[in-house]
Amino acid sequence: MSFKGLRPINYGGREVWPLIEGGKGVSATNHASSGAWAAAGGIGTVSAVNADSYDMDGNIIPQLYPQRTRVERHEQLIRYAIDGAVEQVRRAYDVASGKGAININVLWEMGGAQAVLEGVLEKTRGLVTGVTCGAGMPYKLAEIAARFNVNYLPIISSARAFRALWKRSYSKVSELMAAVVYEDPWLAGGHNGLSNAEDPTKPEDPYPRVKLLRETMRAEGISDDVPIIMAGGVWFLREWNDWIDNPELGSIAFQYGTRPLLTHESPIPQQWKDALRTLEPGDVLLHKFSPTGFYSSAVKNPFLLNLEARSERQIPYSRVEAGEHTVQLDVGVKGKNFWVAPKDLERARIWASQGFTEALKTPDDTVVFVGPEERNEIRQDQADCMGCLSHCGFSAWKDHDDYTTGRLADPRSFCIQKTLQDIAHGGEVDRNLMFAGHAAYRFKQDPFYSNNFTPTVKELVDRILTGD
């Protein structure tokens, strides 16, 4: 069957292609990429998650946190986030030159999300068409959108999550809900909404899930003209022919997060772009090491493999002799109040002999074994926390009330702000978290990218519109 082709949709008072650039923080999408996507007739998305600001000479301002306390550093982070996103939106709007539309994307689980979103929208009135927001349950998104008269596009991974948001909040501001983004938890890069009821090892066909979402929307009286945006795993549009003009699904649009990474305008460093060309099927891992507590997908590089290995060097313990915990741990810990199973004592001794001599307690009554250098890095990163999340498992930070989750800081995770800032600004790709969608292996297979070809955003959008 030949590719049906796409028809423009009306968004923000103008016709645009139903093609959305996925917003990727930290600094993996910026004004250059999102402005170019809008200029090509689509919906460009500026990530408002700690975007870059610039000095008078146009150089990126390093985001440093010399403040003494976490709360003071958190307040600095919010200032950086607002200043950076405002600058990126203004520049993207200029690049777009009146074409397409500019959205901003916010991770609801980021620290100070509401303050950042309100601060950005206050300073970019008339420039932002809509706000996409996920990673959490952003009940307040609709009321914030209403206050600033912008569209909102919630990101969800199930009909059940959408229904909860609609019932509690979105139904009260239905006229500004421009679309619903279905982010497939098994296919999309970055954080997703995989629930405890779903098996991360058993991907589900997105079609029945999106069909159920449309049925849920119809049951709430939402018009079929409100698009569902398919996000995750979208590469060749011809592979989604059955979704286009399908009465079961209603209006459908498509979001691209991974493909725009490999363009001339993409702000990610060249070594990150080069690494994308080498990926094979299975090289992207759906994992739960993120300090957000959410599942997320990233390239299975040495950084991620180290986190896997760290969690494998883990044994349960109790403070008193109980059950199978009949022997005392004698490596990696100080004191005698660590009772473990005999088989785990043997494992711990082997790890210690391999150099993993330090045992760090987790919130789940286990210890993980690491080397002295890694122990010091973990402790320093936890101490340097700048409050980039609303709840951080790694540092036990919380962005409100008493500023602590009340749980032990978890050494099985990592400082996500540190690694995302590093990889976005030239840090080694093997030593940092490298987000990507599960279709990223197609860079190597798609003839469009042969002979090391890197398209402009306009060339990419034009290619997508052909079905390829």
Side-chain angles (χ1 to χ4, degrees), residues 55-306:
D55 63 20
M56 296 295 291
D57 297 322
N59 301 309
I60 294 173
I61 298 173
Q63 296 189 10
L64 305 175
Y65 299 90
Q67 295 83 1
R68 186 178 62 84
T69 69
R70 284 184 176 185
V71 174
E72 290 171 319
R73 294 194 291 268
H74 172 66
E75 291 169 348
Q76 176 65 63
L77 177 132
I78 290 175
R79 290 192 291 271
Y80 279 139
I82 293 172
D83 291 347
V86 169
E87 180 68 19
Q88 296 298 334
V89 166
R90 289 172 175 166
R91 291 183 177 218
Y93 188 82
D94 289 343
V95 172
S97 301
K99 299 175 184 175
I102 298 294
N103 282 355
I104 60 174
N105 178 65
V106 174
L107 185 86
W108 194 248
E109 194 61 22
M110 76 182 192
Q114 183 172 350
V116 171
L117 183 54
E118 291 173 341
V120 175
L121 291 176
E122 178 64 43
K123 295 181 178 182
T124 57
R125 290 179 183 270
L127 307 182
V128 172
T129 305
V131 179
T132 56
C133 184
M137 293 294 278
Y139 293 109
K140 294 184 178 180
L141 179 60
E143 64 180 71
I144 295 170
R147 204 176 317 141
F148 294 95
N149 194 33
V150 297
N151 296 294
Y152 66 99
L153 303 82
I155 303 172
I156 51 87
S157 291
S158 69
R160 178 182 174 189
F162 173 76
R163 188 172 186 274
L165 289 164
W166 177 264
K167 290 291 188 184
R168 179 167 169 178
S169 172
Y170 296 172
S171 60
K172 301 170 188 173
V173 195
S174 59
E175 69 281 2
L176 289 177
M177 191 181 74
V180 177
V181 182
Y182 170 75
E183 184 182 58
D184 190 281
W186 294 278
L187 296 173
H191 293 98
N192 64 67
L194 193 73
S195 73
N196 292 331
E198 294 158 329
D199 189 338
T201 67
K202 296 180 179 177
E204 296 181 17
D205 181 356
Y207 186 93
R209 293 171 67 88
V210 171
K211 180 173 177 285
L212 179 59
L213 173 59
R214 178 60 76 188
E215 291 167 354
T216 301
M217 293 169 66
R218 286 171 179 156
E220 300 298 340
I222 301 168
S223 169
D224 276 14
D225 292 334
V226 175
I228 294 174
I229 299 171
M230 176 62 203
V234 182
W235 197 271
F236 299 130
L237 279 185
R238 52 182 161 80
E239 296 173 340
W240 302 82
N241 230 12
D242 292 344
W243 290 52
I244 300 169
D245 298 330
N246 184 329
E248 283 192 327
L249 301 180
S251 179
I252 290 288
F254 298 93
Q255 179 166 299
Y256 286 85
T258 298
R259 285 191 81 171
L261 287 171
L262 194 51
T263 61
H264 280 288
E265 294 88 345
S266 168
I268 66 173
Q270 188 61 45
Q271 61 174 325
W272 187 349
K273 294 180 181 181
D274 292 343
L276 291 172
R277 296 181 186 272
T278 69
L279 299 180
E280 301 284 353
D283 279 354
V284 173
L285 178 69
L286 176 62
H287 66 91
K288 209 176 184 185
F289 296 117
S290 170
T292 63
F294 294 117
Y295 280 95
S296 63
S297 291
V299 175
K300 200 187 308 181
N301 64 358
F303 177 87
L304 213 50
L305 293 173
N306 179 59

